[in-house]
Amino acid sequence: MTTSSVQILRSKKELRAQVREWHMDGLTVGMVPTMGALHHGHLSLITEIQKHVDKVVVSIFVNPKQFGPNEDFNKYPRSEAADIEKLEQVNTDLLYTPAVSEIYPEGFLTNVSVSKITEGLCAANRPGHFDGVTTVVTKLLLQCLPDVAIFGEKDFQQYAVLKQLAKDLDIPTEIIYGTLIRDNDGLATSSRNVYMSAEERQIALEIPNTLNRIINEIEGGSLTIEEALKNGTQRLLDAGFKEVQYLEIRQSDTLESLHQTTAGPSPISARIFVAAVIGKTRLIDNMPLKISL
Ligand code: AMP
């Protein structure tokens, strides 16, 4: 049997001991929390954080607390052996893949919750989702105590929430983000893309196409924000999406709606966000844009 070049740990005690040893040797440590089913979006976070730290810990934990009762926790893709091969390819130092009982032992009673920026967007259709994310990420960061942790721009609201969390709770980990990675056809890479049929996947391309078109319409001044968003929603529905959960533009830094923006420098940095359902698959995407108010 060949042994992996990636050290694999399943207990927080062993994880803490290894990270402590690295720190005592003067090495810096980065963490990449994931739910597995790794793809090149995840791998790009690993290669990005390697530029900032000496050692990289990737966690794989499909977190039951961030899935709603009617969501896909049970069928979420799990592929540990294939994941380990991918982690080897990018020279990951350590894989931390705890059992549910290691994260939520019997008697676990705490919930970590961030307000305001968890309102709207993904929170509206996924009640409890962000509390699940903030609770598990608090635990993972405290179990590992990394110097830096990286999250993907793909889940931009999640990144903003986690940056706020670390700041508010004085967690001594710098939170950074990695660029959103797309497949060659332009669709944002996601572990959930495997749920789609070939036909659905073709329709799904209407998401990046629509976002690009709206950005051109607004930045080019041919349509108002309201008109461009209304047309975009209709275009997604016409293409075959069952539901458009949101198609919104918000300020990049605070995630506030644009009408909450007080006078300031124009154009402002904004971001367009979308969540839409095709068949049984919920897809999200976002892109930056400049808005002149
Ligand atoms: P997940 O395994 O889906 O929970 O994602 C783990 C991390 O990978 C999160 O920080 C995601 O934002 C990030 N991620 C997922 N897909 C992508 C992507 N296409 N590009 C960049 N980061 C991503």
Side-chain angles (χ1 to χ4, degrees):
M1 203 178 93
T2 52
T3 48
S4 171
S5 59
V6 182
Q7 185 184 2
I8 300 168
L9 298 179
R10 297 183 196 272
S11 83
K12 57 192 166 210
K13 199 168 157 213
E14 292 169 308
L15 174 69
R16 274 269 178 93
Q18 178 59 83
V19 172
R20 193 179 310 120
E21 198 181 306
W22 281 333
H23 278 151
M24 302 244 292
D25 289 342
L27 301 172
T28 53
V29 178
M31 186 173 213
V32 187
T34 81
M35 297 204 299
L38 300 180
H39 50 62
H40 52 280
H42 297 115
L43 302 188
S44 79
L45 298 181
I46 299 172
T47 48
E48 177 59 31
I49 204 169
Q50 280 167 337
K51 298 177 196 158
H52 298 259
V53 293
D54 301 306
K55 296 284 181 185
V56 173
V57 175
V58 172
S59 64
I60 295 183
F61 180 66
V62 185
N63 174 32
K65 275 197 194 297
Q66 71 188 70
F67 289 79
N70 299 316
E71 293 185 0
D72 56 345
F73 175 69
N74 286 325
K75 73 164 189 171
Y76 195 83
R78 290 158 170 91
S79 51
E80 189 175 297
D83 286 349
I84 292 170
E85 272 180 34
K86 291 177 190 157
L87 293 175
E88 285 167 350
Q89 284 161 18
V90 289
N91 300 318
T92 306
D93 298 286
L94 196 159
L95 166 63
Y96 177 51
T97 183
V100 172
S101 57
E102 194 69 8
I103 300 288
Y104 304 118
E106 228 183 288
F108 185 85
L109 293 176
T110 299
N111 182 51
V112 181
S113 189
V114 172
S115 58
K116 201 166 168 197
I117 44 176
T118 53
E119 285 164 17
L121 299 177
C122 281
N125 292 283
R126 304 189 73 187
H129 169 70
F130 280 116
D131 281 9
V133 170
T134 44
T135 301
V136 81
V137 171
T138 303
K139 295 227 38 164
L140 290 169
L141 294 179
L142 293 176
Q143 290 184 353
C144 179
L145 295 175
D147 302 285
V148 183
I150 191 164
F151 298 89
E153 189 187 20
K154 157 100 188 321
D155 302 273
F156 193 86
Q157 186 181 20
Q158 170 175 279
Y159 157 73
V161 168
L162 294 173
K163 204 167 168 65
Q164 184 76 38
L165 167 93
K167 178 171 168 250
D168 289 350
L169 295 185
D170 300 317
I171 296 176
T173 299
E174 186 191 355
I175 306 294
I176 62 173
Y177 77 85
T179 320
L180 193 160
I181 301 297
R182 297 179 182 278
D183 290 350
N184 289 336
D185 56 10
L187 186 67
T189 309
S190 165
S191 304
R192 290 187 166 98
N193 288 352
V194 297
Y195 296 158
M196 285 182 284
S197 66
E199 193 192 335
E200 287 172 341
R201 180 165 177 121
Q202 206 48 42
I203 296 170
L205 296 181
E206 199 51 54
I207 285 194
N209 292 344
T210 295
L211 295 189
N212 279 314
R213 185 162 165 174
I214 293 173
I215 291 171
N216 288 337
E217 288 165 347
I218 293 173
E219 289 185 341
S222 62
L223 290 183
T224 64
I225 294 176
E226 208 174 303
E227 287 163 346
L229 292 177
K230 191 165 163 250
N231 292 353
T233 304
Q234 195 54 49
R235 202 172 309 121
L236 291 172
L237 294 172
D238 291 346
F241 279 88
K242 196 165 76 182
E243 184 190 358
V244 178
Q245 293 186 340
Y246 59 78
L247 178 62
E248 271 188 54
I249 293 177
R250 296 204 173 198
Q251 275 196 64
S252 292
D253 46 356
T254 58
L255 291 191
E256 282 173 340
S257 303
L258 289 174
H259 63 258
Q260 293 171 294
T261 309
T262 46
S266 189
I268 61 161
S269 295
R271 213 163 251 275
I272 181 162
F273 295 91
V274 67
V277 181
I278 178 150
K280 291 197 160 91
T281 310
R282 179 179 182 273
L283 298 173
I284 60 170
D285 201 343
N286 69 87
M287 291 183 188
L289 77 162
K290 296 267 180 232
I291 300 269
S292 302
L293 292 177

